[in-house]
Amino acid sequence: MEKIISELITTRLRDMIKQIRAAKTMAEERAVIAKESAFIRTSFKSENSGTRYINVQKLLYIYMLGYPAHFGQMECLKLVASPRFMDKRLGYLGIMLLLDENQELLTLVTNSLKNDMNNSNIQIVGLALCTLGNISSSEMARDLSGEVEKLIASGNSFVRKKAALCAIRLIHKVPDLLENYQTKAIQLLHEKHHGVLLTGVTLLTEMCKIDSNVAEDLRKTSVPVLVRHLKNLTTPGYSPEHDVSGITDPFLQVKILRLLRVLGNGSTFASDAMNDILAQVATNTDASKNVGNAILYETVLTIMDIESENSLRVLAINILGRFLSNKDNNIRYVALTTLTKTSQTEVNADASSLQRHRATILDCLRDPDVSIRHRALDLSFFLINSQNIRILTRELLSFLEVAEADIKSSVASRIVDFAGRFRPNKRWEIDTTIRVMRAAGANVDSSTINHCIKLITTSARDLQLYAVRKLFNLIRLEGDLALAQEGLVVVTVWCIGEFGDLLVSGGDGGKVSGLGEDEDPIGQSDYMTAPTERQVADLLDMILKGPFATLVVKEYIVTGVVKLTGRFSDASVLE
């Protein structure tokens, strides 16, 4: 009879799913759901225990589609009270989906949970622990904490594992309960069962995050135990049943590494105890598979967060450098992110090691993936120092020319900022700022324009002559290409108005400093050609009447012309 009923239940649920999937429009789907919901409500009111299981099944499916199902909460509680395992399983699933810790109805579940935790069937005990671990409120945590404590010491590994996971929720809800679990959690570190050991490590990690005193106690007693476990896991053939792509239980290795990272942070004593095993993991783990890369990544994070030796930090950065050559964009992305974080430290060994991978990082600026390019861009700025400013600026300017319009402004301002910090000389900074204007003048913000104007204004007179002639001839020689860059036009017009007398005076403006690979493509004679007053007036007139003359440009031209009336002497031009 039970078999026939089960088949009818499955068919009934299957029929409802077929009807929903057969709906061609949202209106048809809503009509099917409304009809089924009305039927389920009616059935609930009739207190028909024979169809309760079926109706809750359908209701949970309806809930997963995004429709309201709150009217089935009490029915889930009734299923939990049933002695049948199938009813309890569905009832607890419904409670986890339909209830949360803020609902008063949840208090009615407490007694059922307590009874099921003392059930002789370990599967039912597991259901109760799983439910408590997902929806426990502070009150439930206090009421049922004693039961969970007893279960952590259970003789069954399945129950111990579930109880440890449940305890994580309880200590987050009521941190005062933490001391009740600390001793039992430490005992779990001596487990041979990998599942229990993994949950024990996870529980201790969360305890350390909540209370720093726990971490201090573990540093004295548990670091050698964790190191021994990690050493065993890295031994080939240690536990074949937990092998994943040739690596023993990578999930447990990752959890242990995360706990070691917490314990080693700020503690030289604990870090010294784990340096050797971290070096062993970093050296011996196979990086040809994704599983190995996951462990190597966690190892690198651990090395960077603890008080590790310089040689170990260099090894970690070299691993990230290898990640940058990986074909998987996800691995390259996390490598760039981690290297960016590493570059912000003040450890000299990190900075020098990072510079060795400069070429690979710069190659990422040309990657087809936009997220890789953006991460490489952030990292490239952290690589800049007084020795490599010329090389990196040239690469960043090349990136700026092809960058997306929405990031050009921020990239331009950062290039100008770093050029000012690490400039080899002021003329080089002026050249760099002008090249930024040429590449992204239409996208730069007012602060970058103002910086450029201030830079030229505060320079020596020979540099002012150099800058104004260079700007003037850029507009003259490049035409529409330069005129389209509003920022460049604004700076040029302002400089013409401010230094018009220098612009048309004799002299070559001084020899252009040899910039080697950074030298501008326009020749020295072209840069320094001194125009006549008529040529200057004609250029301003051409800009004013051209298609690129925005309101801001026109305002600058009018102001510049007013200034030139006091600086030019040619009567025909002044007229």
Side-chain angles (χ1 to χ4, degrees):
M1 180 63 70
E2 282 189 18
K3 185 176 181 181
I4 296 172
I5 293 174
S6 176
E7 288 177 0
L8 289 173
I9 290 171
T10 306
T11 304
R12 186 76 182 100
L13 177 62
R14 187 182 297 124
D15 287 344
M16 187 193 75
I17 293 173
K18 284 182 178 179
Q19 289 176 23
I20 293 172
R21 290 181 176 176
K24 296 181 179 179
T25 65
M26 287 299 296
E28 289 182 18
E29 180 181 299
R30 285 193 292 268
V32 173
I33 297 296
K35 180 181 176 181
E36 287 292 343
S37 296
F39 174 81
I40 292 171
R41 284 176 187 271
T42 304
S43 182
F44 284 163
K45 289 177 182 178
S46 66
E47 293 291 335
N48 187 341
S49 59
T51 59
R52 182 176 293 134
Y53 184 88
I54 309 170
N55 291 328
V56 172
Q57 272 188 322
K58 293 190 291 183
L59 191 65
L60 294 183
Y61 184 81
I62 289 171
Y63 172 79
M64 289 189 288
L65 293 178
Y67 294 93
H70 58 279
F71 56 88
Q73 293 171 347
M74 279 302 300
E75 301 303 313
C76 292
L77 296 180
K78 292 174 183 177
L79 282 176
V80 166
S82 167
R84 295 178 65 239
F85 173 75
M86 294 282 287
D87 289 345
K88 285 183 180 293
R89 183 174 63 179
L90 185 62
Y92 278 128
L93 176 61
I95 288 172
M96 286 187 280
L97 289 175
L98 303 180
L99 295 177
D100 60 56
E101 61 182 276
N102 299 317
Q103 295 184 359
E104 294 182 4
L105 193 61
L106 196 62
T107 57
L108 301 176
V109 188
T110 304
N111 191 53
S112 295
L113 287 172
K114 187 172 183 178
N115 291 334
D116 287 340
M117 285 183 189
N118 293 305
N119 199 295
S120 59
N121 186 336
I122 62 170
Q123 300 297 332
I124 293 177
V125 176
L127 288 176
L129 288 169
C130 184
T131 304
L132 182 62
N134 276 281
I135 63 170
S136 173
S137 61
S138 299
E139 292 75 16
M140 290 179 69
R142 291 189 179 93
D143 292 340
L144 298 174
S145 176
E147 304 299 323
V148 177
E149 286 180 51
K150 286 189 287 186
L151 293 173
I152 285 185
S154 167
N156 186 280
S157 59
F158 174 80
V159 175
R160 291 200 303 277
K161 176 178 67 175
K162 293 286 186 180
L165 290 174
C166 181
I168 295 174
R169 171 84 176 197
L170 302 190
I171 62 174
H172 275 291
K173 288 298 168 185
V174 187
D176 293 342
L177 296 174
L178 187 146
E179 59 184 17
N180 299 343
Y181 294 98
Q182 184 174 342
T183 303
K184 292 181 173 60
I186 292 174
Q187 291 173 355
L188 294 179
L189 291 182
H190 299 280
E191 286 278 350
K192 293 184 179 180
H193 189 281
H194 282 218
V196 179
L197 180 57
L198 187 146
T199 54
V201 171
T202 305
L203 177 57
L204 285 171
T205 304
E206 295 303 316
M207 286 182 172
C208 293
K209 293 177 181 178
I210 295 172
D211 187 353
S212 59
N213 293 326
V214 177
E216 194 60 40
D217 294 340
L218 290 177
R219 289 182 183 118
K220 300 173 184 176
T221 60
S222 300
V223 170
V225 179
L226 293 168
V227 168
R228 185 176 70 250
H229 280 307
L230 194 55
K231 186 174 182 179
N232 290 336
L233 290 170
T234 56
T235 303
Y238 169 68
S239 181
E241 65 271 23
H242 296 100
D243 185 280
V244 179
S245 299
I247 294 176
T248 304
D249 204 342
F251 304 101
L252 181 56
Q253 289 194 49
V254 166
K255 289 291 184 181
I256 292 175
L257 286 168
R258 288 178 180 174
L259 180 54
L260 289 176
R261 182 155 76 242
V262 174
L263 299 179
N265 194 324
S267 172
T268 305
F269 170 77
S271 299
D272 289 343
M274 59 183 80
N275 273 334
D276 289 344
I277 187 60
L278 291 176
Q280 183 178 334
V281 174
T283 305
N284 297 336
T285 302
D286 182 13
S288 63
K289 296 182 176 65
N290 217 29
V291 178
N293 287 327
I295 294 174
L296 286 174
Y297 177 62
E298 290 295 337
T299 305
V300 168
L301 293 181
T302 303
I303 291 171
M304 291 304 178
D305 277 4
I306 69 173
E307 308 300 315
S308 55
E309 300 170 350
N310 284 342
S311 58
L312 203 56
R313 298 180 74 86
V314 170
L315 176 61
I317 291 176
N318 288 339
I319 290 172
L320 294 175
R322 292 203 304 271
F323 280 0
L324 292 178
S325 303
N326 199 294
K327 294 180 180 179
D328 189 331
N329 281 353
N330 294 319
I331 294 175
R332 296 167 69 198
Y333 182 86
V334 296
L336 288 167
T337 303
T338 310
L339 286 171
T340 301
K341 180 181 176 182
T342 302
S343 64
Q344 300 174 42
T345 64
E346 298 180 358
V347 182
N348 291 331
D350 291 355
S352 58
S353 301
L354 197 55
Q355 292 292 340
R356 297 176 194 155
H357 304 285
R358 188 175 66 201
T360 309
I361 294 168
L362 293 176
D363 283 342
C364 291
L365 288 174
R366 294 178 283 274
D367 194 88
D369 191 310
V370 64
S371 60
I372 298 292
R373 292 201 303 272
H374 288 182
R375 280 299 176 190
L377 176 67
D378 293 336
L379 181 54
S380 298
F381 281 107
F382 284 111
L383 293 175
I384 294 177
N385 57 39
S386 55
Q387 284 75 42
N388 61 23
I389 180 66
R390 293 177 182 271
I391 298 171
L392 285 176
T393 301
R394 185 174 67 252
E395 293 290 342
L396 291 170
L397 285 168
S398 298
F399 174 83
L400 181 62
E401 291 175 357
V402 296
E404 298 85 358
D406 58 330
I407 66 167
K408 276 193 173 184
S409 177
S410 62
V411 176
S413 61
R414 291 167 77 182
I415 293 175
V416 169
D417 177 40
F418 278 86
R421 282 196 232 171
F422 300 104
R423 66 186 184 196
N425 54 69
K426 201 162 187 177
R427 175 172 281 181
W428 179 88
E429 183 184 0
I430 291 174
D431 279 333
T432 299
T433 306
I434 292 174
R435 290 177 69 184
V436 168
M437 293 295 177
R438 283 170 63 192
N443 303 95
V444 296
D445 54 25
S446 58
S447 61
T448 306
I449 295 173
N450 294 339
H451 173 85
C452 184
I453 291 173
K454 180 182 177 182
L455 175 65
I456 296 171
T457 305
T458 57
S459 298
R461 194 166 179 79
D462 61 327
L463 289 179
Q464 291 173 349
L465 170 59
Y466 170 74
V468 70
R469 286 195 179 170
K470 181 171 184 177
L471 288 166
F472 176 86
N473 286 296
L474 276 175
I475 300 294
R476 178 178 64 85
L477 294 171
E478 297 191 1
D480 288 353
L481 185 63
L483 290 172
Q485 307 296 340
E486 182 182 332
L488 178 65
V489 176
V490 166
V491 173
T492 301
V493 171
W494 187 91
C495 287
I496 290 173
E498 192 69 20
F499 308 113
D501 50 343
L502 282 177
L503 177 61
V504 298
S505 64
D508 60 1
K511 184 179 179 182
V512 178
S513 59
L515 298 177
E517 295 179 348
D518 297 310
E519 190 170 356
D520 250 305
I522 301 177
Q524 178 177 332
S525 60
D526 293 325
Y527 273 131
M528 293 301 107
T529 301
T532 63
E533 294 180 4
R534 170 57 60 188
Q535 289 175 320
V536 174
D538 289 344
L539 181 68
L540 292 176
D541 184 62
M542 182 265 292
I543 296 173
L544 184 62
K545 296 178 180 178
F548 300 103
T550 63
L551 182 61
V552 175
V553 172
K554 290 177 180 178
E555 290 172 352
Y556 271 85
I557 290 176
V558 171
T559 304
V561 169
V562 173
K563 291 179 182 179
L564 290 176
T565 57
R567 292 183 169 90
F568 281 1
S569 57
D570 189 333
S572 62
V573 173
L574 294 175
E575 290 177 1

